[in-house]
Amino acid sequence: MDKEVFNKQLEEETLWIEEKIKGFLPKGIQHQKTISDAMEYSLMAGGKRLRPMIMWETYKMAGGRDERIVLPFMAAIEMVHTYSLVHDDLPAMDNDEYRRGRKTTHIVYGEDMGILAGDALLNYAFETALQGFEDGRSLVLKSRALKILADKAGIYGMLGGQVVDVEKTGKPLSQEELLFIYSLKTGALLEAAFMTGAVLAGADDGTVKELGKAGHYTGMAFQIQDDILDITSTVKELGKPVHSDEKNEKSTYVSLYGMDKAVQAVKDYSEKALGILYAMPVQNLYLNTLVKMLIKRKK
């Protein structure tokens, strides 16, 4: 896909997704307005909107046409992702002061509200996804999509990876443990994005399974590239602290295998993801280019 065409669509689609996600935030809050403000501050802090974007693109690729079916799930997965970042930044975790180029939620609202804002976003994510059930359409598909999202967010997914990551901080990691953490902590929600978009469009089980693999490989590439950027980027470019893995005594792909092998791993995992996408009966050039972009991203 032409770079200029891709960048234009990326910008337009990111703005469209942000507008739609903002529309799902709670309204008319009075006594508990602080938590509503903290939720909005966290959710609307920018970011790539990669997970809802992938969900939207796989939904279209699998034949989906009605945005009303998929939008609540797009908002929900971004809320789950954002809650994980809010909690990740807390003093008990990575103790970071900046995220996406501005002060983290707990710095602005206090540690107590940082915890509660993360809790609220996680719970509200499922309240939001369930709004999609109210029209009574495609209930079986929506139920399958909701189960995937819940599974990939929980102890068998993102949360499970985070648990092992926290427990192993400051301790040596085996290759198996490192790949387990990356597969779950980063890969699980990307798998959910690829899979739920296809499920909501009515894709067959084989297609959903293959797209889940594409999500896994994309997640691995994304996380290893994140390790690389933590060393090579700047706070201004990245929008968050650099060398935070070293500060927090975390083993990474780079620290275990070196920069050259990390760069090659990003390439290899990305090619595996693209191989699956290229084999799909319907091609989505924008989605293919989006995955390619992960190899060269600078933030």
Side-chain angles (χ1 to χ4, degrees):
M1 189 176 192
D2 179 77
K3 184 178 180 181
E4 187 175 334
V5 174
F6 171 78
N7 287 337
K8 185 174 185 294
Q9 184 172 342
L10 177 66
E11 182 181 358
E12 291 175 352
E13 199 157 302
T14 303
L15 291 173
W16 175 74
I17 288 171
E18 291 199 343
E19 179 188 351
K20 294 298 182 181
I21 288 174
K22 188 173 183 178
F24 282 101
L25 281 165
K27 301 172 181 65
I29 301 295
Q30 294 181 2
H31 296 297
Q32 68 274 45
K33 188 175 185 300
T34 301
I35 203 63
S36 176
D37 291 344
M39 288 169 68
E40 181 168 351
Y41 178 85
S42 307
L43 190 64
M44 303 313 296
K48 302 173 188 65
R49 308 305 185 191
L50 184 62
R51 291 150 192 83
M53 191 175 292
I54 287 172
M55 189 186 297
W56 172 240
E57 293 300 330
T58 53
Y59 176 71
K60 292 189 296 179
M61 184 176 70
R65 295 291 179 265
D66 188 348
E67 68 179 43
R68 293 172 296 178
I69 290 175
V70 69
L71 280 174
F73 289 87
M74 290 168 59
I77 200 169
E78 190 68 2
M79 290 175 189
V80 172
H81 172 59
T82 303
Y83 115 79
S84 74
L85 301 182
V86 171
H87 279 183
D88 211 32
D89 291 334
L90 288 167
M93 304 282 270
D94 288 349
N95 194 24
D96 283 329
E97 294 186 10
Y98 287 91
R99 168 76 66 177
R100 293 170 173 170
R102 64 177 185 173
K103 289 188 179 296
T104 50
T105 304
H106 74 90
I107 294 294
V108 176
Y109 290 93
E111 186 178 352
D112 49 3
M113 287 299 159
I115 294 169
L116 291 172
D119 293 343
L121 282 165
L122 175 59
N123 197 78
Y124 200 71
F126 292 98
E127 293 178 61
T128 300
L130 285 165
Q131 289 181 32
F133 287 70
E134 292 173 357
D135 60 12
R137 297 181 303 149
S138 306
L139 295 183
V140 172
L141 298 180
K142 290 173 182 176
S143 296
R144 286 183 62 201
L146 187 61
K147 186 178 188 307
I148 290 169
L149 179 58
D151 287 346
K152 298 298 182 182
I155 61 172
Y156 299 106
M158 180 186 68
L159 183 63
Q162 181 78 328
V163 168
V164 179
D165 186 35
V166 169
E167 284 186 333
K168 289 292 182 176
T169 296
K171 301 175 184 177
L173 280 178
S174 67
Q175 181 181 14
E176 181 184 359
E177 289 169 330
L178 182 73
L179 296 182
F180 176 87
I181 292 168
Y182 285 14
S183 178
L184 270 64
K185 183 181 176 182
T186 304
L189 273 194
L190 286 168
E191 289 177 37
F194 276 94
M195 294 171 74
T196 51
V199 164
L200 291 167
D204 61 81
D205 290 345
T207 298
V208 173
K209 185 177 180 180
E210 284 300 297
L211 286 171
K213 291 179 183 177
H216 166 74
Y217 293 135
T218 301
M220 296 300 290
F222 189 91
Q223 182 56 56
I224 297 170
Q225 181 68 5
D226 209 50
D227 294 346
I228 293 169
L229 292 175
D230 188 63
I231 294 173
T232 62
S233 190
T234 65
V235 174
K236 183 177 180 181
E237 191 170 37
L238 203 56
K240 62 179 181 179
V242 293
H243 302 291
S244 60
D245 292 324
E246 182 181 354
K247 179 194 78 173
N248 294 313
E249 299 181 341
K250 287 189 175 182
S251 296
T252 68
Y253 205 96
V254 176
S255 67
L256 287 180
Y257 302 108
M259 184 63 73
D260 290 344
K261 286 189 176 180
V263 170
Q264 185 61 45
V266 172
K267 185 174 183 292
D268 292 344
Y269 280 121
S270 299
E271 287 177 352
K272 287 181 180 180
L274 287 167
I276 292 170
L277 295 178
Y278 290 152
M280 288 288 126
V282 176
Q283 290 296 295
N284 183 324
L285 296 180
Y286 177 77
L287 179 60
N288 295 349
T289 308
L290 185 63
V291 172
K292 288 180 189 177
M293 185 188 73
L294 299 178
I295 303 171
K296 299 180 179 179
R297 70 187 178 93
K298 300 297 181 185
K299 61 181 180 178

